[in-house]
């Protein structure tokens, strides 16, 4: 079973409170989401494997560590996931970025993928899917389906705020992936918003309504 972890570093929690506030405007919201994403990238990369490498310092040759694992792909779920990409790239600048676009069918309420653009060789890469809100879990499950269908094996899902309903659905559908959140909130309301949440993350990031 993959892990489910709340990343409760004080800086992450402090910054999350800033963006929960309805008074936080677009510019600050966007900046702080990126800051949180950067801090979360630090936490979720803790288990990256290292290997020994020889390095010649100005003083002598020594053995030191370097990252040994799979190359990282950051995968934002459009559109709100875009808000977390730059923060992660600050820490992992060599990562590639794949995009997944999904829309929700108005009648069935089921998500459908309309755009997937990934680097090749997903089986040899570490995928980090990002979406600020894990609400029903529908789009997260479809995003993982889409990556697995294309050969991905090592997948992490990183969100800011999760609803218990979404965590349960995602972990039941894909027990093998690791799920990280900055907060586990109370519930989903009848309109599909996370309570207390932070509202519509996409609208708040992009200044739309
Ligand atoms: N998506 C959002 O942007 N906010 C929610 O509360 C739920 C889903």
């Amino acid at each position: 079973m993959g892990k489910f972890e709340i990343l409760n570093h004080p800086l992450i929690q402090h910054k999350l409170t800033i963006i929960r506030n309805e008074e936080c405007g677009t510019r600050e919201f966007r900046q702080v989401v990126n800051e949180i994403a950067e801090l979360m990238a630090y936490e979720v990369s803790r288990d990256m494997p290292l290997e020994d490498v020889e390095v010649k310092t100005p003083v002598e040759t020594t053995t030191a560590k370097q990252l040994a694992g799979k190359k990282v792909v950051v995968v934002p779920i459009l559109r709100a996931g875009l808000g977390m990409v730059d923060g992660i790239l600050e820490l992992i600048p060599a990562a590639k970025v794949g995009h997944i676009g999904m829309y929700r069918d108005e009648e069935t309420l089921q998500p459908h993928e309309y755009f997937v653009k990934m680097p090749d060789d997903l089986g040899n890469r570490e995928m980090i899917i990002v979406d600020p809100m894990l609400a029903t879990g529908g789009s997260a499950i479809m995003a993982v389906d889409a990556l697995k269908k294309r050969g991905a094996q090592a997948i992490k899902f990183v969100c800011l705020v999760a609803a218990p309903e979404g965590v349960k659905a995602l972990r039941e559908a894909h027990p093998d992936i690791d799920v990280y959140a900055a907060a586990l909130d109370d519930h989903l309301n009848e309109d599909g918003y996370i309570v207390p949440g932070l509202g519509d993350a996409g609208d708040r990031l992009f200044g739309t309504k």
Side-chain angles (χ1 to χ4, degrees), residues 160-202:
L160 302 184
V161 181
E165 295 89 333
V167 175
K168 182 166 180 288
L170 178 55
R171 299 194 84 213
E172 276 173 11
H174 294 294
D176 52 312
I177 74 163
D178 294 333
V179 180
Y180 300 88
L184 180 62
D185 273 14
D186 198 56
H187 66 281
L188 283 179
N189 69 15
E190 56 284 1
D191 299 319
Y193 281 94
I194 299 177
V195 181
L198 47 73
D200 186 304

Side-chain angles (χ1 to χ4, degrees), residues 59-112:
V59 181
E60 67 166 13
T61 298
T62 186
T63 304
K65 306 287 182 193
Q66 71 175 16
L67 289 170
K70 300 175 171 177
K71 299 278 186 260
V72 172
V73 184
V74 184
V75 182
I77 300 180
L78 303 178
R79 96 191 130 128
L82 290 172
M84 298 173 70
V85 173
D86 288 348
I88 295 185
L89 293 180
E90 282 288 322
L91 277 199
I92 314 175
K96 299 200 183 299
V97 181
H99 293 85
I100 296 190
M102 261 169 294
Y103 70 91
R104 194 203 289 242
D105 184 299
E106 296 293 328
E107 276 176 17
T108 64
L109 300 182
Q110 290 304 308
H112 292 272

